[in-house]
Amino acid sequence: MRCLLLAAGAGRRLRASASSRPTEPKPLVRLLGLPLIERAILAAKQAGCEEFYVVLGCEGERVRKHLGDGRRLGVRLRFLLNPQWERGNGTSVLAAREVLQEPFLLLMSDHLLDPSVLRSLQEAYERGALDDADVVVAVDRRPPEGLDLEDATKVRLEGDRVVEIGKCLPSYDAIDMGAFLCSPRIFDALEQTREDGSLTAGVRYLAQQNRAKALDVSGTFWFDVDTPEALRAAERALLRQLPKPTDGPVSRCLNRPISTRLTRWLVNTSLTPNQLSVISFLLAAAGALAMALPSYAALAVGGLLAQISSVLDGCDGEVARLKFQGSEFGGWFDAVLDRYADALLVSGLSVHASLVQGGTAPWLWGLAALSGVLLNSYTADKYDAFLKKRLAEGKRPLRLGRDVRLFLVFLGAILNAPLVTLGLLAVLSHGEIVRRVVLLARHTRDGRS
Amino acid sequence: MRCLLLAAGAGRRLRASASSRPTEPKPLVRLLGLPLIERAILAAKQAGCEEFYVVLGCEGERVRKHLGDGRRLGVRLRFLLNPQWERGNGTSVLAAREVLQEPFLLLMSDHLLDPSVLRSLQEAYERGALDDADVVVAVDRRPPEGLDLEDATKVRLEGDRVVEIGKCLPSYDAIDMGAFLCSPRIFDALEQTREDGSLTAGVRYLAQQNRAKALDVSGTFWFDVDTPEALRAAERALLRQLPKPTDGPVSRCLNRPISTRLTRWLVNTSLTPNQLSVISFLLAAAGALAMALPSYAALAVGGLLAQISSVLDGCDGEVARLKFQGSEFGGWFDAVLDRYADALLVSGLSVHASLVQGGTAPWLWGLAALSGVLLNSYTADKYDAFLKKRLAEGKRPLRLGRDVRLFLVFLGAILNAPLVTLGLLAVLSHGEIVRRVVLLARHTRDGRS
């Protein structure tokens, strides 16, 4: 499905006080490493859209120059000019009248949207939502924290019908999220309301004819970035989304708070998630090498490097999600590097323990810890799928994951107890695997065969 | 969808010469550990059927007693009696007239069918196949090797319409596989042809009225077991299906030929796949323990046990597939036990090498081999998914799997070269992982991010 993306406005309220970059057109204002308009395009791409018409107005040439033909973003962009942009965003939609003769998605370049909103609109289309309407407005009954409610466009609903829309409704049911599924007949409505010039006026015209519907996607992430305060609130909201429900205790309390702060800075560099994975691995490898030396100082430095690597290990995924750079291969590559880092760290600890106290105990505990640590990861996929089910049921089960293991390595190194650490890693990780097998055997419907 | 299962016939041709079990009713004749009728029921269950009407006739009471209410097989069975069973299998279908008033699947208890045949019939129903027909016959244009063609029921087709059906057609297009999707209107046709008494006569009657269609599922597995020769051919055909396309070279040339022979015997015991997984693991654990002793004899015995365990490791999956005992947990449990077996064997080799020659080299190579072996398995899922795509493209890429690794352990132990074996395992498996990462990075569309 094609997308019509409005990027013609001046964004005066945002630029008025964004003193640091006063000359940037609004669509190019950066949020966590990406210009707003690129966020809108990449979110739509994740929802399956690959063809965009972008309506330009105020400082359009700079926006067009920045985006090019879209190949850099993996999409096809075509540009339309609305010289009348000052007369309202409805006139910007009208600029696409000649080129869009089939149903399309309509988006704002200054709205952050979760891709699922666009998928829902497309599904609504496939279910025939445009059979008895000319526009479907995505709405949220619970507007996000930090949103400028006064300036938001509200809708009043009767069932799934929009009966009134505007900024100043005496009472309302939900907020217009700035994402629409449109039939080409919306252009006629906008011609009728050309005097007013706003998109809202066109939708109101359709609502009066009982031709406007709402799609309730309450609770999905979205944000309207109109002011410098909204920009900062949007950044906070995006960062708050980064921790995962399956994060372990060390990750939750120590690693994520640091890694998200780090990520906030990293998104403004050109480092890719895969490069960050490699850097995190190299830190762990350096830590393992240090630990393999016989001195306590080296052991402690090695442990510290392991913990730093553990923190940084969160950043690759965070940057990937924030900059739409995630890939299936990237996730797998990161996981394989993590396993190598784990293997090197356990080996480094074993070598250190053997150098310090000799005998076969360090090696045997090393082999046991190594197999335990790697098999913990080997059994994690299956267990995590199970965990997610339990989390959905509101339970928060125990999880001995990489965050805990690396923290143990760090503590063990600082406390100069390499052999105890190996023993703990072995006992805990093998115990955890046995627990997983028993748990899955008991809870899988077919676990008794 | 409900199933009507015909099990009323006498099966004279099969029993005439099956001298070893002359008194067994045909539905209870065993094929690779399961009575024919249980195979039919379990295959249908795998295709989603859980409710069966079983029509009994000759020696019906024994069959009913054997099956019970079906709870043992995880389905619901209800029995119908056809006292006129000698007058033809059409009269057996008619016995269900009162209880089946909606569309149903019709199966023969002496036909082996791949579950996909029944899934295809159900999909045909969902696509409206019964809108313009009263019966849909599953047909095969390439009858399986070993089938008694002379006795098979043939069909002549025009498009997807059956125009003639019978054992003695002068020319024909395909073979009737003994699986049907029926509307209740088939009962009227069978009433009309009650004189003849056969199901074929009823289908022919419908064909004459242009109300019989065929569903082409050529190439899927099926077998009609009518004679002792057919029973043996069916056994061979089932066993031929066991090797997997992703089997490695040692598995293909050595392990599978032995394991399938062993499985042919194991299916007649009450050992479950999970029990076989445990036995295979215990053999490997015993092998590891033996290798950890300092003498060459113990090392060699340990290596031999490892190879025997590797062969037996094929049997759990083979028994599971042949006896419909496969489960998601079972497959995972087997994989986890395999990893533990691998870890123990590598550790055993390391201990042996250290006892024999001392120094740190055996331990370092042991840690390297252990991580390589386990990470080989860790990366296998992803790589195998990729492999299958390439196999589908007709390529047969290299695969360094468990079969090769355990064979190396076996050879290394026999040749009294534990350290060389550890080195080989380490180098080969880490090399293989690097190869996988490079290959997947190159061939994943998103591998460049």
Side-chain angles (χ1 to χ4, degrees), chain A residues 274 328 339-340 378 430 449, chain B residues 274 340 378 382 430 449:
Chain A
N274 286 350
E328 208 199 325
R339 301 296 84 72
Y340 267 99
Y378 184 78
H430 287 292
S449 70
Chain B
N274 285 351
Y340 268 99
Y378 184 79
K382 185 102 179 167
H430 287 293
S449 70

Side-chain angles (χ1 to χ4, degrees), chain B residues 226-295:
Chain B
D226 270 338
T227 61
E229 296 76 46
L231 190 65
R232 282 191 292 273
E235 185 177 299
R236 281 194 303 273
L238 281 173
L239 291 173
R240 254 201 314 273
Q241 286 199 306
L242 293 177
K244 294 180 187 171
T246 48
D247 277 350
V250 176
S251 182
R252 226 169 20 246
C253 306
L254 177 67
N255 297 2
R256 282 284 181 205
I258 305 177
S259 70
T260 50
R261 279 180 179 77
L262 213 53
T263 292
R264 208 180 143 208
W265 172 77
L266 285 167
V267 287
N268 293 309
T269 69
S270 63
L271 286 169
T272 68
N274 285 351
Q275 287 167 344
L276 288 170
S277 300
V278 171
I279 293 174
S280 164
F281 167 73
L282 291 176
L283 275 175
L289 213 62
M291 289 201 283
L293 300 173
S295 82

Side-chain angles (χ1 to χ4, degrees), chain A residues 27 33 171 221 259 275 280 296 301 305 307 353 356 367 374 379 427:
Chain A
S171 79
F221 178 83
S259 69
Q275 286 167 346
S280 165
Y296 164 66
V301 167
L305 285 172
Q307 181 56 32
V356 169
L367 286 168
L374 294 183
T379 55
V427 170

Side-chain angles (χ1 to χ4, degrees), chain B residues 250-251 253-263 266 276 280 283 304-318 402-403 406-407 410:
Chain B
V250 176
S251 182
C253 306
L254 177 67
N255 297 2
R256 282 284 181 205
I258 305 177
S259 70
T260 50
R261 279 180 179 77
L262 213 53
T263 292
L266 285 167
L276 288 170
S280 164
L283 275 175
L304 192 63
L305 284 172
Q307 181 56 32
I308 293 174
S309 160
S310 176
V311 170
L312 197 64
D313 184 41
C315 294
D316 48 8
E318 291 169 7
R402 188 170 196 247
D403 58 329
L406 289 191
F407 192 66
F410 165 63

Side-chain angles (χ1 to χ4, degrees), chain A residues 35-62:
Chain A
L36 289 174
I37 193 167
E38 291 191 13
R39 292 203 161 271
I41 291 170
L42 291 171
K45 182 188 170 197
Q46 220 163 70
C49 302
E50 292 180 344
E51 257 191 275
F52 296 79
Y53 284 98
V54 182
V55 185
L56 301 175
C58 179
E59 294 187 82
E61 202 42 48
R62 283 183 65 189

